[in-house]
Every structure is written in C-alpha cells, then in structure tokens.
Amino acid sequence: MRTLVVGGTAGMGLEVARRRAARGDEVVLTGRDATRAEEVAASVGASARGIPLDLSRPHAVGQALADVGTVDRLVLAAIERDANTIADYDIDRATRLATIKLIGYAEAIHALRPRLPDDAAILLFGGRAKDKPYPGSITVSSVNGAVTGMVNALALELAPIRVNAIHPGIVGDSPFWAGKPDAVLEGYRSRTPTGRLATMGDIVAAVDFLLENASVNAVQLYVDGGWLVT
C-alpha cells in the first residue's frame, strides 16, 4: 500500500508519515524544499521517499506528482498559520493560505485522480477555528470551513473513493503548542470536558480510523476532547 502525505515534513503530517511507515506502507511525503523532504523521508525509514511540492503554486502540482504512481491513501496535511484581521487585512497572506488549502488541495486530488483506485481513501486536514474563531483567524476560519463543503462535494464526485476530514483542536504536544507557557495550556485544558488536550498520538490514531474504516465516508471528525460544548 502506498500512502502520500502532502505536508509530511513537520508537525502532524510527519507523525502521520511515521505511523504509516510503521504499518508497513510505502510512504511518499512532500515538502516545499526538496532537500528537507529527502532528509525527513530518510529519517522516517527505508520505505519512505520525499519529493518537493508547493501547494501555493497549483499550476506546478501535477508535474511534481507525476512519478508518484498509484496512491492508496492520500493525506492532505499541508497547513500554514496566518494571523490576519479585517482591520489590518493582508491580501497576499490571505491569498496564499486560500490557495494552499482550497485550490492546492483540490489540484493535488485532480492530478492524482487517474491513480486512485476505487478502494482509495482521501483525508483532508481542517481545524476547529472554523467553529471557534479567534482574533486574526478570518482566513483560517474561512478556509477550514470550506473544507467541509469540499469533502462533501469530493465524496459525491469521486465515489466509491472515500473522502473525509479531520478537524483537530489544540494539540498540546504539537510543535506549535508544546512551547507555550503552562498557564496558557492549562487555561485551554480547564475548559476541555475531558480535562486534557488532544495529543499528536490522538490525531494520528484518528487519521488511521478515517483512512481504514471502509464505511466511514464524507465525515467531519472533531478531535478536541469536546472543547466546544463548554
């Protein structure tokens, strides 16, 4: 089985690549920088290889993926954090994020469509900012909300290929959050019904579930400890 992880050189994408390699998959991971992608792939294991891919340049996506071959599991994990308020709106940053998450994700699937077998599974990464915005999340909240519509449309168009989305909450041990002050993390933890923040392991386990359960399709899975009910 071949798994392609777009955005697999760091963070949750890298953890997914490691898990899939440990399962015995042939793993292809992508990153914007060719050298880093190759180095990270080497650290994942002999069954992994890295290729350069920049979703902010969607016209080049097809060529970048030309020699990947059949893809049984496709994980679109490439993200970019963007603090962008309406009061101080940066069009270039907003355009870049929207291009990566909407056009880039869609173009990657389009480029790979002839190489996706009927029992393939596709997973898109969204995020809880779509439901719980914060100051500066105007673009992040918007594109993650659009992931919901994209998944529904893709599941219809690509059937019987399965398409799902995962929307992580605050992942306490992720590279972004692990370095935050304890008081900040405790504030979020105290407002989470489970009394704990999601972990990288929780996210990866949920990814495996969405990729491997043959009856899970067009699902938006929230992995946040029930954060929004408080």
Side-chain angles (χ1 to χ4, degrees), residues 7 28 34 41 44 65 70 72 74 113 135 146 179-180 200 207 209 212 217 221 228:
V28 181
V44 169
L65 298 174
T70 299
D72 303 289
L74 172 60
R113 177 64 188 92
K180 301 294 184 185
M200 299 279 273
V207 168
F209 165 71
E212 300 308 325
N217 191 30
L221 183 62
L228 286 188

Coordinates of all heavy atoms in Angstrom, one line a residue, residues 7 28 34 41 44 65 70 72 74 113 135 146 179-180 200 207 209 212 217 221 228:
G7 N 2.6 17.6 2.8 CA 2.8 18.4 4.0 C 3.4 17.5 5.1 O 3.0 17.6 6.3
V28 N 5.2 8.2 0.6 CA 5.8 9.4 -0.1 C 5.3 10.6 0.7 O 4.1 10.8 0.9 CB 5.3 9.5 -1.6 CG1 5.9 10.7 -2.3 CG2 5.6 8.2 -2.3
A34 N 13.1 20.5 -1.5 CA 13.4 19.2 -1.9 C 14.4 18.5 -0.9 O 14.3 17.3 -0.6 CB 14.0 19.2 -3.3
A41 N 12.3 12.2 4.9 CA 12.0 10.8 4.4 C 13.0 9.8 4.9 O 12.6 8.7 5.3 CB 11.8 10.8 2.9
V44 N 12.3 8.8 8.3 CA 11.1 8.0 8.5 C 11.4 6.6 8.3 O 10.9 5.7 9.0 CB 10.0 8.5 7.6 CG1 8.8 7.6 7.5 CG2 9.6 9.9 8.0
L65 N 3.9 15.7 -8.9 CA 3.3 14.4 -8.5 C 3.3 13.4 -9.6 O 2.8 12.3 -9.5 CB 1.9 14.6 -8.0 CG 1.7 15.5 -6.8 CD1 0.2 15.6 -6.5 CD2 2.4 14.9 -5.6
T70 N 0.5 4.8 -8.2 CA -0.8 4.6 -7.6 C -0.7 5.1 -6.2 O 0.2 4.8 -5.4 CB -1.1 3.1 -7.7 OG1 -1.2 2.7 -9.0 CG2 -2.5 2.8 -7.0
D72 N -2.9 4.8 -2.7 CA -4.0 4.1 -2.0 C -4.6 4.9 -0.9 O -5.8 4.9 -0.6 CB -3.5 2.8 -1.4 CG -2.9 1.8 -2.5 OD1 -3.7 1.3 -3.3 OD2 -1.7 1.7 -2.5
L74 N -4.3 9.0 0.6 CA -3.9 10.4 0.4 C -4.2 11.2 1.6 O -5.4 11.3 1.9 CB -4.5 10.9 -0.9 CG -4.3 12.4 -1.2 CD1 -2.8 12.7 -1.3 CD2 -5.0 12.8 -2.4
R113 N -6.1 11.8 -9.6 CA -7.3 11.1 -9.8 C -7.2 9.8 -10.6 O -7.7 8.7 -10.3 CB -8.4 12.0 -10.5 CG -9.7 11.3 -10.8 CD -10.4 10.8 -9.6 NE -11.6 10.0 -9.8 CZ -11.6 8.6 -10.0 NH1 -10.4 8.0 -9.8 NH2 -12.7 8.0 -10.2
P135 N -9.4 36.3 17.3 CA -8.9 37.4 16.6 C -7.8 37.1 15.7 O -6.8 36.5 16.1 CB -8.5 38.4 17.8 CG -9.4 37.9 18.9 CD -9.5 36.5 18.8
A146 N -14.5 25.9 4.6 CA -14.7 25.5 3.2 C -14.3 24.0 3.0 O -14.8 23.3 2.1 CB -13.8 26.3 2.3
G179 N 5.6 24.6 23.2 CA 6.4 25.6 23.8 C 5.7 26.7 24.4 O 6.3 27.7 25.0
K180 N 4.3 26.7 24.4 CA 3.5 27.7 25.1 C 3.7 27.6 26.6 O 3.9 26.6 27.2 CB 2.1 27.6 24.7 CG 1.8 27.7 23.2 CD 2.1 29.0 22.6 CE 1.7 29.1 21.1 NZ 2.1 30.3 20.5
M200 N -0.6 14.4 19.7 CA -0.3 14.0 18.4 C -0.7 12.6 18.2 O -1.2 12.2 17.1 CB 1.2 14.1 18.2 CG 1.7 15.5 18.3 SD 1.5 16.5 16.8 CE 3.0 16.1 16.0
V207 N -6.6 9.6 12.3 CA -6.3 9.6 10.9 C -6.4 8.1 10.4 O -7.0 7.8 9.4 CB -4.9 10.2 10.6 CG1 -4.4 9.8 9.2 CG2 -4.9 11.7 10.8
F209 N -8.1 5.7 11.6 CA -9.5 5.3 11.6 C -10.2 5.8 10.4 O -10.9 5.0 9.7 CB -10.2 5.9 12.9 CG -11.7 5.8 12.8 CD1 -12.4 4.6 12.9 CD2 -12.4 7.0 12.6 CE1 -13.8 4.6 12.8 CE2 -13.8 7.0 12.6 CZ -14.5 5.8 12.6
E212 N -8.9 3.9 7.2 CA -9.0 2.4 7.1 C -10.4 1.9 7.3 O -10.7 0.7 6.9 CB -8.1 1.7 8.1 CG -6.6 2.1 7.9 CD -6.2 1.8 6.5 OE1 -6.6 0.9 5.8 OE2 -5.3 2.6 5.9
N217 N -17.3 7.7 5.5 CA -17.2 8.5 4.3 C -17.9 9.8 4.4 O -19.0 9.8 5.1 CB -17.8 7.7 3.1 CG -17.5 8.4 1.7 OD1 -16.4 9.0 1.6 ND2 -18.3 8.2 0.8
L221 N -14.5 14.8 11.3 CA -14.2 14.2 12.6 C -13.5 15.3 13.5 O -12.5 15.8 13.1 CB -13.4 13.0 12.5 CG -13.0 12.3 13.8 CD1 -14.3 11.8 14.5 CD2 -12.1 11.1 13.6
L228 N -15.9 22.4 22.3 CA -16.9 23.4 22.0 C -18.2 23.2 22.9 O -19.0 24.1 22.8 CB -17.3 23.3 20.5 CG -16.2 23.8 19.5 CD1 -16.8 23.9 18.1 CD2 -15.8 25.2 20.0

